[in-house]
Structure formats: C-alpha cells, structure tokens
C-alpha cells in the first residue's frame, strides 16, 4: 500500500480543451467540482500571451484576435517528438507556431511583451495546472500542494512523465498520475456504491476533446480492478472540429475562390464557429455558421446538417468502436457480460457516437447519469483523498490499474522481448532472462521499449543501458532483467549477471525528449517569473484604473463646481492640463510600472484636495515636471 501524504489534496483533470478541478468534501461524503472565477465548472486549457499572460477563460475569449499567441492543445504535444506523425496534421491547423527544439522536442513560439519566447508543452500545461491550483485555493481558502492528475489511459511513459514534470513546474506535489477512465470509474462507483456489493463489469467510454480512452473495470466490494484499457491519444472532439474546418475551407474556396488556410485569425474564427455548430448538432438536425468578414471582407455563411457532420467523421466514429472491441478482446469479455456502459468526455454527447455504441453493445441504456465533463476530476479527487492523511472519512475503495502498453527489451534481430505484457495490473515487478549473442561478449546493451509491435524498432524507445564486465564465456550467457512499474505507470529497469553479481539499470527518467532536472529547475524559475509578471501586471492595471477613475470623477466634479468663484482661469487650466497629461499617460504604451501611475495619482490628489474642500491654492509651484 502506498504511503499517505500530509496535507489536503485536489484532483485535476488536465484536459486537451477543458480542465476541471475537484476536492473531496468530507462532511458530504462526496467530491465537489470547484467553480472558477468566471463561475464555470470547467476551465479552457488555453494560455495566451499579450502584454500579459492569460490563462483559462480570459485566454480563450481573446483567441480570435490574438491567434498566433493563444496556445491550446498542449496535451496533444506533451511527451511527443516534433516529427511524430500524429502531430503533423495538427501543425497545419494550429494558428500558433511550433518548431523543433533540442532532441526534436516540439517548442511553441510565442511573443510575450514584444519578445519571442519558446515554450515546451510541459510549461504550457504547468500554467494550466497552476491556474487549476489557484481556482481550488481561492475556493477552499488555503494553500495546496498535493494533487492527483489524470492522463489518458493510453498515454505512454514519456507522456506520463512529461505531465508529472508539468505538475512539478506548477509547484505541485503530484501524488499520483491516474488514468482518466479509471478516475471516471471511481466516480461512477462512488455514486452507485449503494448497489455495488455484487460484481459489476463497467465499460468506461471516454471521448474527450483530444483523446479517446476505453476501459473495462470490474467493481466488486469496493475493489476497482481495471481488466483492460485501450485508446488513441490523438482522437477526440478537436479532430471532429478539424474535419469540419477542412470541409468549410474547401467550400469557401469553391464559392469565393480564396484560400483562408494560411490565415491564422480566419482559421481560429472558423474553428470556433465549427465547434459551436458541432455542439448544436448534438441536439438539432442542422445549423448555420455565420462569421462576418471572415477573409478579405467576405462574410462566411454556410449550413451543415447532422448527417453531413456524421459523414465527415464516419471513419473516426467507427475507429472508436474498433478500439472498444479491442478492449473487450483484451479483457476476454463478451459484450453481453458488460453490465454498464458509462459515457465520459464532452464528445460522448454526439448522437451518432451514442447510437453506434448502442448498436455495438446491443443495448439502449447507456449510463449518462454522471456528468461527462466532470466525472474524471471527481474520480481524481476521490483518489487524492484516498492518498492523503487529511481525510478520515474516505470511501473504502481500492484501485487496481493496468499498464496500457507492453514493456520489454529489443533482442537479437530487433525482436521485441516483452517482459511486462500490456494490461498487467500495476504496481508490478516482473523479470525475464536475456542472453548474450556473441562469444566472449564483454558488454550487453539493453534498449528498453514500449509498444505492441513485434519489431522493437517500431515501438517507442524509452531508454538504453549497458551491463559490462560479463564473464568471457560463449554466447548464450544468461542475464536477468527486472522491470518494475510503479503506481504512476513509471518504469525502472535493471539487469543482473548472476554469475558475477554485476548490476546496472535505469529509471526511465531522462530519456531524450524528456526534461532534464536542470531544465525543470529553469522552468520552475520561469514559472515564478511569469507569476511575478502577472502580479506586476495586475498591480499596474489596478493603479491605472484608480488613476483613470480619479481623473474621471474630478473632471466631473470640476464641471459641476462653481469654479469661477474659487479658481482663476489659469489655476483651472493648470489642473485641467494635469488631467490631460494623466490621460495621455494612461493611453501611451510607454509606462508599465504601477508606481508611475500611483505616484501621479498621489500628486493629483494632493493638488485637488484643496479644491475638494473648497479652498484655493496656488498649485503651480508644486508642478515639478
Ligand atoms: P472534454 O475533453 O471531456 O472536456 O471534452 C471536450 C470536447 O467535447 C470538446 O471537443 C467539445 O467540443 C466536445 N463537446 C462538448 N459538448 C459537446 C456536445 N454537446 N456535442 C458534441 N461535442 C461536445
């Protein structure tokens, strides 16, 4: 059993398009979804850079006017290489720039305060995580460190670790990374706990903004055992939006003979329109997208039917069913043995997805009773409470999760020698015997891979280590390789030569593409810098508003005031000129220090104070400018 952490804890669903945070409420015996400063229960996973940094709703709201500096979809990039074919297509549609950095790591280019900055996906995700932390802290009224963060079940080792790194950069103690469908199963199990004493096989169908996950979970006497999991880390609502965007780019071209595909602002506006239309098509049969002056002054006005939308995405919807079948096959379970099919993720609201699923399971009672947008954060909060000392009344539930991908070593001929097969319950320790391939071989190499391909090279290389000092013996000398997978799904590998006792191994922490501890340190410092800058900006806006407000009120007061009897025309002009100067300061871009505005306000107050109390003085000698 894992050790418990000190201090209260939250659960964060770090989504591709929206994120959600929840905390366990002991008095009520349930998790509470925490609303953000806009009163919303989910927060857009958006970060924008202007003369300030915006996160969440504020960032999303200005996306159309600042497309190249408004970043979303960081989750699609996290833990991947720039050359990854999965992001090749996205690159063309993103209005922001992504370049290849060291070790082919994708880096997002933004312009912040007139300067170019390159940010890793981990940094963008860390900004979203710190926003979620702030939302929780504001609501709970205490500062927090501990969190459980969810990831798609199908996230590989580097995607999981990169997410954990993002948490560290955000100043969080990531107690556990858990799989999204497993979290949803916890939420479902808690809500249904009254009738959970008998064994239930629950199929979690989680179709979100960027990822698709399915899991088959067996719930019995409070034990949640994941039997199998499958998915696609690059399939979700945004792909459906993309299909619609591409369709309308063509339609617009056909009708107006202009191509908007190179215009980020137009694409962003069209994407917003498509996303809204998609949601409408979940309850209406058709809808019209209207965007004024989309490109070169030409208005956009096109209709789309639900049938057309379904047609554009047919193959993607069908792919969801294929993956569901794979999951059942892996769990060795028949469709009819599944008791409940639970819908999770915003895109599970799409009627065609639901009807395909009903047909697939030959049942018409899909479970929609848990909120698909909130179930994952809800479950993460339950897990967070289970891992924290601060909660005494936590549901008595035990979670047994599985590894989504097989793990092994490349053997002679580039064959994948699996040590831990996929869907093995974690944490787990397993070993395998590997042999030298040459006579008198002094050193053996151990390339560690994850994936299902027989040819190791086609799987994902996690790291490489060597074992030296082998005895000078003919080939076939055995070495024992031990794989240890922890609760987060993070791997340690070690090889031992029993004859000499020689040992070597790696914790897969610093493989290429992953952040080094120095980089994490730098990013933590940078996060603090951003935070300080945000604070400075807020202070400056406050000071500017106070000055603006004062000038406005005093000008009004001066107009209503019997000035002629109290002030000479030249005195009046002196004061008015100070107000004009103040307004120019407010409008110009020159000043960005709060102190400049605060000082000017103080001077104005000092100058106007006598007027307010109906006394006239000579102000001219106070003006030192
Ligand atoms: P999630 O990652 O679970 O927050 O899901 C977000 C995705 O769900 C986005 O792509 C949304 O466009 C999509 N979505 C939310 N509501 C609906 C709806 N009513 N119909 C279709 N898609 C939706």
């Amino acid at each position: 059993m894992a050790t418990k952490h000190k201090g209260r804890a939250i659960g964060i669903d770090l989504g591709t398009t929206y994120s959600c945070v929840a905390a366990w409420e002991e008095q009520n015996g349930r998790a509470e979804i925490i609303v953000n400063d806009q009163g919303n229960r989910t927060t857009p996973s958006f970060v924008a850079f202007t003369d300030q940094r915006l996160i969440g709703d504020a960032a999303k709201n200005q996306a159309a006017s600042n497309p190249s500096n408004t970043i979303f979809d960081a989750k699609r990039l996290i833990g991947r290489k720039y050359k990854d074919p999965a992001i090749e297509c996205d690159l063309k549609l993103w209005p922001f720039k992504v370049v290849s950095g060291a070790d082919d790591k994708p880096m997002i280019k933004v312009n912040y305060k007139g300067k170019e900055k390159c940010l890793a996906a981990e940094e963008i995700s860390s900004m979203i995580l710190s926003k979620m932390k702030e939302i929780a802290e504001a609501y709970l009224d205490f500062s927090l460190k501990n969190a459980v963060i969810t990831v798609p079940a199908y996230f590989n080792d580097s995607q999981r670790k990169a997410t954990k790194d993002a948490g560290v950069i955000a100043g969080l103690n990531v107690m556990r990374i858990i799989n999204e469908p497993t979290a949803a199963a916890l939420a479902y199990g808690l809500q249904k706990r009254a009738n959970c004493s008998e064994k239930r096989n629950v199929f979690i169908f989680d179709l979100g903004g960027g990822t698709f996950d399915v899991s088959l979970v067996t719930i019995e006497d409070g034990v949640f055992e994941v039997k199998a999991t499958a998915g696609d880390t690059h399939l979700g609502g945004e792909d459906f939006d993309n299909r619609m965007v591409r369709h309308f780019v063509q339609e617009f071209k056909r009708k107006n003979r202009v191509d908007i595909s190179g215009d980020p602002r137009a694409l962003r506006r069209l994407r917003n329109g498509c996303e809204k239309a998609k949601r409408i098509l979940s309850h209406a049969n058709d809808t019209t997208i209207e965007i004024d002056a989309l490109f070169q002054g030409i208005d956009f006005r096109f209709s789309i039917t639900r049938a057309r939308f379904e047609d554009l995405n047919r193959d993607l919807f069908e792919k969801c069913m294929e993956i569901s079948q794979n999951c059942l096959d892996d769990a060795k379970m028949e469709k009819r043995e599944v008791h409940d099919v639970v819908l999770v993720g915003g895109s599970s609201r799409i009627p065609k997805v639901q009807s395909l699923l009903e047909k697939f399971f030959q049942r018409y009672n899909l479970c929609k009773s848990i909120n698909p947008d909130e179930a994952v954060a809800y479950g993460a909060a339950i897990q967070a409470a289970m891992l924290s000392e601060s909660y005494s009344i936590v549901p008595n539930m035990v979670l047994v999760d599985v590894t989504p991908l097989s793990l092994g070593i490349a053997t002679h001929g580039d064959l994948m020698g699996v040590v831990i097969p996929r869907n093995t319950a974690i944490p787990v320790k397993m070993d395998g015997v590997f042999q030298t391939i040459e006579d008198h071989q002094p050193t053996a190499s151990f390339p560690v891979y994850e994936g299902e391909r027989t040819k190791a090279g086609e799987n994902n290389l996690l790291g490489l280590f060597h074992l030296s000092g082998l005895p000078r013996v003919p080939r076939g000398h055995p070495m024992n390789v031990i794989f240890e997978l922890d609760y987060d799904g993070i791997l340690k590998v070690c090889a031992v030569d029993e004859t000499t006792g020689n040992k070597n191994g790696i914790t897969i922490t610093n493989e290429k593409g992953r952040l080094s501890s120095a980089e994490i340190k730098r990013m933590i410092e940078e996060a603090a810098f951003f935070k300080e800058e945000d604070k400075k900006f807020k202070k400056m806006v406050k000071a500017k508003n106070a000055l603006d407000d004062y000038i406005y009120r005093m000008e009004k007061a001066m107009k209503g005031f019997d000035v002629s009897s109290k002030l000479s025309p030249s005195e009046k002009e002196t004061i008015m000129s100070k107000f004009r100067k103040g307004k120019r300061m407010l409008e110009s871009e020159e000043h960005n220090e709060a102190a400049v505005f605060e000082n000017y306000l103080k001077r104005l107050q000092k100058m106007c104070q006598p007027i307010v109390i109906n006394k006239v003085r000579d102000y001219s000698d106070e003006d030192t400018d």
Side-chain angles (χ1 to χ4, degrees):
M1 192 61 210
T3 48
K4 289 210 173 187
H5 296 249
K6 285 206 170 72
R8 297 214 237 170
I10 48 172
I12 303 175
D13 167 13
L14 179 63
T16 312
T17 44
Y18 287 90
S19 295
C20 184
V21 59
W24 182 251
E25 291 273 337
E26 201 135 57
Q27 317 83 290
N28 308 328
R30 61 181 163 84
E32 188 78 50
I33 300 293
I34 302 174
V35 292
N36 68 16
D37 45 9
Q38 304 296 305
N40 298 326
R41 293 165 75 84
T42 55
T43 299
S45 303
F46 277 58
V47 179
F49 299 86
T50 56
D51 48 354
Q52 61 170 319
R53 182 184 59 158
L54 302 168
I55 309 173
D57 291 293
K60 186 164 189 200
N61 292 344
Q62 56 82 72
S65 60
N66 179 28
S68 53
N69 289 306
T70 304
I71 316 303
F72 53 94
D73 274 359
K75 190 170 172 181
R76 285 193 172 224
L77 283 171
I78 205 161
R80 287 186 189 272
K81 301 275 184 201
Y82 179 80
K83 284 205 193 82
D84 192 324
I87 58 172
E88 206 175 334
C89 216
D90 291 337
L91 287 174
K92 289 188 202 124
L93 287 168
W94 280 326
F96 48 86
K97 240 197 189 139
V98 182
V99 293
S100 169
D103 288 328
D104 202 33
K105 191 178 175 67
M107 299 298 289
I108 303 152
K109 256 194 181 168
V110 295
N111 193 301
Y112 177 57
K113 295 189 169 183
K115 278 196 200 123
E116 203 162 77
K117 254 187 140 5
C118 272
L119 299 164
E122 286 90 330
E123 285 178 277
I124 299 290
S125 294
S126 81
M127 292 172 191
I128 298 158
L129 287 171
S130 53
K131 174 80 184 174
M132 303 318 286
K133 175 176 181 262
E134 267 173 44
I135 291 170
E137 286 177 335
Y139 174 82
L140 300 168
D141 206 19
F142 56 79
S143 68
L144 279 159
K145 260 201 137 7
N146 294 334
V148 166
I149 303 175
T150 58
V151 293
Y154 233 58
F155 252 24
N156 65 26
D157 190 78
S158 54
Q159 289 167 308
R160 280 166 200 273
K161 282 191 195 122
T163 305
K164 213 169 176 185
D165 289 346
V168 174
I169 299 166
L172 288 167
N173 169 36
V174 184
M175 300 189 297
R176 181 83 50 93
I177 296 280
I178 64 167
N179 293 333
E180 287 163 11
T182 315
L186 277 179
Y188 174 79
L190 188 86
Q191 292 186 359
K192 296 262 162 192
R193 70 187 141 176
N195 31 14
C196 246
S197 52
E198 78 219 46
K199 183 173 167 180
R200 290 196 84 74
N201 299 321
V202 183
F203 189 79
I204 309 283
F205 183 93
D206 180 358
L207 188 56
T211 55
F212 173 55
D213 268 313
V214 285
S215 283
L216 199 288
V217 184
T218 301
I219 308 177
E220 190 174 19
D221 290 331
V223 178
F224 289 64
E225 198 177 342
V226 182
K227 292 290 181 194
T229 190
D232 187 327
T233 51
H234 224 81
L235 175 60
E238 302 220 320
D239 297 287
F240 313 146
D241 301 345
N242 286 346
R243 288 280 171 97
M244 223 199 286
V245 168
R246 246 178 275 157
H247 163 72
F248 280 127
V249 165
Q250 289 309 322
E251 290 288 285
F252 198 71
K253 200 178 197 174
R254 202 174 44 76
K255 191 171 163 202
N256 302 298
R257 298 185 198 294
V258 285
D259 185 4
I260 68 162
S261 56
D263 181 340
R265 183 164 184 265
L267 280 180
R268 181 73 230 163
R269 292 178 73 207
L270 178 57
R271 181 189 294 275
N272 280 348
C274 288
E275 202 250 354
K276 271 192 203 126
K278 176 188 71 177
R279 288 176 186 247
I280 293 170
L281 291 175
S282 287
H283 56 82
N285 277 326
D286 55 68
T287 183
T288 302
I289 306 176
E290 289 184 71
I291 310 168
D292 288 344
L294 177 66
F295 187 72
Q296 294 176 354
I298 310 167
D299 294 340
F300 179 98
R301 189 173 194 285
F302 282 92
S303 295
I304 181 158
T305 59
R306 185 189 284 179
R308 185 84 185 103
F309 169 72
E310 290 171 357
D311 211 39
L312 288 172
N313 290 294
R314 183 179 304 278
D315 57 322
L316 298 180
F317 295 159
E318 273 162 12
K319 197 166 173 196
C320 296
M321 301 307 131
E322 276 166 34
I323 293 172
S324 300
Q325 182 63 57
N326 293 344
C327 182
L328 285 176
D329 292 346
D330 276 355
K332 299 186 180 52
M333 202 166 283
E334 297 290 331
K335 292 173 192 171
R336 58 182 163 73
E337 291 177 82
V338 173
H339 297 102
D340 305 291
V341 179
V342 179
L343 299 180
V344 184
S347 304
S348 70
R349 293 196 177 96
I350 295 172
K352 185 69 184 177
V353 170
Q354 294 187 359
S355 67
L356 283 173
L357 208 50
E358 283 169 352
K359 206 167 134 204
F360 178 80
F361 278 103
Q362 291 162 9
R363 61 169 68 218
Y364 298 96
N365 57 345
L366 305 177
C367 171
K368 301 173 194 165
S369 66
I370 58 169
N371 187 325
D373 303 321
E374 299 172 357
V376 172
Y378 195 107
I382 300 173
Q383 175 73 71
M386 283 156 65
L387 291 172
S388 162
E389 273 182 6
S390 299
Y391 306 89
S392 47
I393 315 162
V394 189
N396 197 9
M397 306 202 284
V398 178
L399 193 60
V400 184
D401 216 330
V402 293
T403 173
L405 296 163
S406 301
L407 296 156
I409 300 273
T411 59
H412 192 43
D414 200 25
L415 270 184
M416 176 81 173
V418 173
V419 178
I420 301 183
R422 76 164 187 270
N423 287 322
T424 302
I426 56 170
V428 65
K429 193 171 175 179
M430 289 173 109
D431 59 1
V433 175
F434 293 82
Q435 298 175 340
T436 52
I437 48 174
E438 281 165 27
D439 292 343
H440 312 303
Q441 186 180 323
T443 305
S445 304
F446 296 91
V448 183
Y449 283 93
E450 64 182 356
E452 308 313 315
R453 307 292 293 265
T454 318
K455 197 164 181 275
E458 283 170 4
N459 291 324
N460 185 27
L461 178 66
L462 295 174
L464 172 73
F465 69 98
H466 308 277
L467 185 63
S468 49
L470 298 177
R472 307 214 132 240
V473 288
R475 71 178 185 185
H477 177 67
M479 293 153 296
N480 201 20
V481 182
I482 302 138
F483 276 56
E484 218 177 328
L485 202 53
D486 71 9
Y487 282 102
D488 292 327
I490 292 173
L491 179 68
K492 260 190 210 157
V493 187
C494 162
V496 189
D497 172 11
E498 305 284 357
T499 54
T500 60
N502 272 358
K503 215 185 217 184
N504 195 14
I506 41 170
T507 301
I508 312 281
T509 49
N510 278 325
E511 79 275 17
K512 279 193 162 113
R514 178 128 196 261
L515 298 175
S516 67
S517 45
E519 279 172 312
I520 292 182
K521 192 166 165 266
R522 178 185 61 75
M523 287 179 184
I524 291 174
E525 282 160 12
E526 230 174 59
F529 161 80
F530 273 120
K531 217 170 175 176
E532 197 45 45
E533 290 283 296
D534 290 354
K535 226 163 97 188
K536 265 202 227 154
F537 186 84
K538 271 191 199 137
K539 200 171 163 212
M540 182 190 69
V541 172
K542 217 171 136 196
K544 268 180 120 169
N545 287 345
L547 177 62
D548 185 54
D549 184 55
Y550 188 75
I551 294 174
Y552 171 79
R553 282 191 295 112
M554 284 312 290
E555 272 186 338
K556 224 169 146 192
M558 292 272 291
K559 273 185 203 142
F561 189 71
D562 184 6
V563 174
S564 54
S565 66
K566 314 285 181 206
L567 296 172
S568 72
S570 76
E571 284 169 333
K572 189 185 163 204
E573 178 46 30
T574 309
I575 294 172
M576 291 311 271
S577 78
K578 293 285 172 259
F579 289 167
R580 283 197 297 276
K581 184 177 169 196
K583 283 191 202 169
R584 280 198 303 277
M585 274 172 68
L586 287 169
E587 276 163 19
S588 99
E589 305 268 289
E590 200 183 317
H591 305 287
N592 53 15
E593 293 286 323
V596 175
F597 301 102
E598 285 165 356
N599 290 341
Y600 199 78
L601 175 63
K602 273 188 208 143
R603 281 179 54 199
L604 284 185
Q605 283 169 333
K606 203 168 162 200
M607 182 176 79
C608 296
Q609 186 63 16
I611 306 174
V612 175
I613 53 172
N614 290 356
K615 282 187 193 152
V616 179
R617 267 176 47 193
D618 182 5
Y619 309 107
S620 53
D621 56 332
E622 281 189 359
D623 186 11
T624 48
D625 287 340

